Every structure is written in structure tokens, then in C-alpha cells.
Amino acid sequence: MKHIVFFTLSMMRGGAEGVIARLCNDYLRLHYRITIVTCMNCPVEYSLDQAIELICLENEGAVYRNMGERFLKRRKRLALVLDKLAPDLLISFLPEPNFLALSLKGKVFGKYQFPMIISVRNDPKREYGNKVYYALMRYWYPKADGYVFQTSQAGEYFAFSRHITERMEIIPNPLGRDYLELRKADSREKKIVHVGRMDPQKNQAMLLRACKDVFAKHPEYILEMYGDGKLQGELERLIGELELTDKVRLCGNVADLKDRIQDAAVFVLSSDYEGIPNALMEAMAAGIPAVSTDCPCKGPAYLMENGKCGRLVPVGDQEALSAAITELIENPEAAEQMAERAIERMKEFYPQEIYRKWDEYIHKFLK
């Protein structure tokens, strides 16, 4: 049985991590031996099948003096792990793991050399915006054997390398099992919902300010925010400053998310940039009328078919976001028609079709 290693930062909750977990649990483990290697020793927040081996490069609480020391120590441990595992293929997700893996490209681990596929999961203009990451990307990325991007717009960023553009594959995220074959809610609660980690990328501050404007017209509505993160304290302070304490509920991470949000009047994604946002996919599959920023790399526009299956607003435009939310609240029939189209659209992202694309691409690199 061929052995595939997935390499990423951690298996804490996140878009890339969710894709790895679904792909390995639901499909690849049935056809290949699978090992997941992570850089960080963090809690594993996805259930992994017992057939999947999990290896961490670090001890819990590892501390480094600087990024250079961290990179070199992780690189040394990765080389030892790969020498022992001797996989037939390595698939790496996210910038630092991609850099670490490709920095070893061309080395011989024992008697083995194997192909490497890297995957970019976010807006590359943001991911490689600083000079160091940009230089490392330009130097190391052309050394990979294969490339998986979520949208064609993300792939266009790498047009400087013919090697990359000739070998890249566009594969969107699979929809989670819990969101297959759903029906719209029979009735709507007077609530707006948002799902996402509390991080600058998600621009929840704009969402709060936009919702304050919505509540001025529709005081019967509330906002429920699901997720946590480093900005939680800052967002709590902003909620107080905006006098929204009675209107906003911070619900954290919950196991029954689908059941809690399915009867919402509106789902909102306020991000400054995204790849293919899983939270938006799941809301659309659940038949919740959705509003999203039209953020790079055009993932929301791709999912919503440029506005056919949801409302798109410019990135960072608080007034447009408020107006779009208000429009869906005040035009429930149009909102429900949009939600019906969204459910049909999400059938194109059912897991088996996405897994087939991954498997077909993987086969190109397995001898």
C-alpha cells in the first residue's frame, strides 16, 4: 500500500486542517497508508480515524529565540521523521510547512526520494506579502512536483513560473458530511449569524459596526457569533463601546453548530481575504440566506456564482454590508429563493467529487 504523508502546522480547528481531516478520514485512508505530521504540539481538534498515524515535530511548550531557530530545528526534525517514514508522496499545506518540506527537496532520505505537492489555502498576496516569505516562495516553490490551489485566481499569482502553472490543479474544499442533503428551515429566527475564528482576517469589527446600523432599523434582531481566537477580548470591548451587549452573543465553538444556525435569517462573512471559506459553504448548504465580502481570491464569488446564490459586497465596506443584511431581512421571499439556489449550488462540492479530483491528481505522482 502506498504511503502518503500530509504535513501542516497543527490539527487545531481551521480551514486547511478540516480539509486534511475530511480527505484522510473519508477517503484516502481506505486506499493508502496515511500519516499526518504537524509542526506544533497542539490539541487535535478533529477526530482522526485510528488507521491514521499522527506525528508532531515539537515537544509541548517548545520555545524558540527567533523564527530562524524555529525553522532550522523544525527542518532537522522533519528530515529525521521523513527518513524514518520514507513515504511515496508528501502533501504539504500552508506557507511554513511548504517552505520546510521544499527546503529538503533533492535530499536523499536513506535510499528514498519522493515527490512533493504543496497546497496554497489562502490569498497568496497576503500569505507572501512580506519580503522574507516572498523571497522564500520565489526560490522554493518551483522545486515542488505538484500544486493544489482552491481558485484559479490564486493560481494566477504564480504565473511567474511556467513550471507551477503547468502542474497546478484547482480543487475546492469538500462540503462536510453534516451538511449534505439538508433542507431549509421551515421558519426563521430573528437572528444574524457569523462563524469564524476571531482574527484580523475575518474583520468582525466591521461586522459589529454594520450590525449596529441594522439593529437601528430592526431592533428585534440579534447577532450570534460562533468561534474564538486572539481578538476575542478586543471584540468584547468593542461590543461594549457600541452598546451592543444585549444584541450580540459570543457563542464560542459548539458541537451542534448546524442545528444552532440553520434557522437564522442571515449568515454573514465579513473577511478581508479568504480561500474557499468552509463556513460560507456550510451556511449555503444549510439554506441560510448569505452575505459575504467579495474578497480575494474570489472564493465567495465563486461559491455564490457572482451574486446568484448570495449577496456580495466590497471588502471593508461597512455601509454596503449593513445594506445587504437589511435587504435580506426586509425581502424574505427573495432571500429564500437565493437560499434555494445556494443549496443546489453546494451539491457541486459534495465530498466524493472533490475526493475524486484529489485522488486523480495524487495518482500522477505515485509510481
Side-chain angles (χ1 to χ4, degrees):
M1 181 178 285
K2 297 291 186 180
H3 184 190
I4 299 175
V5 168
F6 280 83
F7 181 41
T8 189
L9 280 176
S10 76
M11 286 304 291
M12 294 182 69
R13 193 161 298 279
E17 297 81 359
V19 170
I20 292 172
R22 291 173 193 167
L23 185 60
C24 293
N25 277 338
D26 296 348
Y27 186 79
L28 292 181
R29 69 172 178 82
L30 303 174
H31 306 276
Y32 307 97
R33 176 188 166 194
I34 299 294
T35 302
I36 298 175
V37 178
T38 65
C39 291
M40 301 163 62
N41 193 334
C42 299
V44 176
E45 296 183 345
Y46 290 93
S47 297
L48 296 175
D49 189 273
Q50 61 182 2
I52 299 171
E53 182 181 11
L54 182 65
I55 297 174
C56 179
L57 299 182
E58 293 179 344
N59 296 321
E60 187 174 356
V63 177
Y64 304 99
R65 288 174 294 182
N66 52 54
M67 291 179 62
E69 180 186 43
R70 183 182 72 188
F71 186 88
L72 291 174
K73 287 188 174 181
R74 285 178 174 175
R75 183 179 185 272
K76 181 178 180 180
R77 292 171 187 148
L78 177 63
L80 293 173
V81 168
L82 293 179
D83 190 26
K84 181 178 179 181
L85 294 175
D88 296 289
L89 174 66
L90 181 142
I91 304 175
S92 177
F93 281 57
L94 307 178
E96 186 178 350
N98 291 348
F99 295 152
L100 285 164
L102 293 174
S103 73
L104 296 168
K105 185 67 175 170
K107 301 289 183 181
V108 179
F109 305 109
K111 62 180 180 180
Y112 297 95
Q113 288 182 297
F114 48 83
M116 296 183 182
I117 296 172
I118 64 169
S119 185
V120 173
R121 313 304 299 178
N122 222 321
D123 178 11
K125 289 183 180 179
R126 297 277 187 148
E127 297 273 62
Y128 312 106
N130 71 63
K131 292 180 179 179
V132 173
Y133 266 38
Y134 182 76
L136 293 176
M137 179 273 295
R138 292 282 301 217
Y139 179 74
W140 272 323
Y141 275 23
K143 297 179 183 293
D145 300 281
Y147 307 85
V148 173
F149 304 120
Q150 294 179 292
T151 67
S152 58
Q153 287 80 5
E156 289 170 2
Y157 180 82
F158 300 91
F160 66 86
S161 171
R162 185 175 178 180
H163 172 84
I164 294 176
T165 56
E166 288 181 346
R167 292 168 176 252
M168 72 179 188
E169 190 76 15
I170 307 301
I171 307 179
N173 291 351
L175 188 63
R177 279 184 183 175
D178 291 347
Y179 292 85
L180 305 182
E181 303 293 347
L182 291 181
R183 294 178 55 194
K184 288 197 301 91
D186 293 330
S187 60
R188 299 285 177 197
E189 293 294 318
K190 296 184 185 300
K191 65 184 182 183
I192 302 158
V193 295
H194 168 83
V195 180
R197 71 182 183 280
M198 295 178 178
D199 182 271
Q201 173 187 347
K202 306 299 183 180
N203 202 351
Q204 286 110 339
M206 181 182 71
L207 170 63
L208 290 170
R209 293 187 175 97
C211 282
K212 182 177 177 65
D213 295 336
V214 174
F215 298 149
K217 295 181 179 179
H218 297 280
E220 70 276 20
Y221 277 78
I222 62 169
L223 169 65
E224 292 183 350
M225 300 176 70
Y226 292 87
D228 56 21
K230 60 186 179 182
L231 290 188
Q232 181 161 339
E234 185 176 320
L235 292 172
E236 288 173 347
R237 287 190 292 274
L238 180 58
I239 290 168
E241 291 171 7
L242 295 173
E243 300 181 341
L244 294 177
T245 305
D246 295 334
K247 306 295 293 180
V248 179
R249 298 173 184 170
L250 301 182
C251 304
N253 294 316
V254 297
D256 57 343
L257 178 63
K258 171 175 60 66
D259 297 329
R260 292 195 184 205
I261 69 173
Q262 192 169 4
D263 61 356
V266 185
F267 172 91
V268 183
L269 184 83
S270 51
S271 300
D272 290 339
Y273 60 99
E274 289 280 356
I276 294 285
N278 290 328
L280 178 59
M281 290 179 67
E282 291 165 356
M284 292 173 65
I288 308 171
V291 176
S292 174
T293 46
D294 187 11
C295 53
C297 298
K298 293 294 182 179
Y302 171 57
L303 295 175
M304 291 178 160
E305 295 187 295
N306 292 312
K308 179 181 176 182
C309 306
R311 286 286 177 263
L312 289 165
V313 301
V315 170
D317 192 330
Q318 176 187 321
E319 291 185 4
L321 184 63
S322 173
I325 296 169
T326 302
E327 178 192 350
L328 293 187
I329 288 173
E330 295 178 350
N331 296 277
E333 290 187 8
E336 294 301 332
Q337 291 173 2
M338 186 182 299
E340 290 282 2
R341 292 194 293 270
I343 290 174
E344 288 301 309
R345 169 65 171 155
M346 286 303 101
K347 290 180 180 179
E348 297 181 30
F349 301 89
Y350 275 22
Q352 286 308 120
E353 176 61 18
I354 305 301
Y355 299 158
R356 182 189 62 78
K357 291 181 179 180
W358 268 102
D359 202 24
E360 287 181 355
Y361 192 59
I362 285 169
H363 264 289
K364 297 178 180 179
F365 303 95
L366 293 176
K367 298 179 181 178

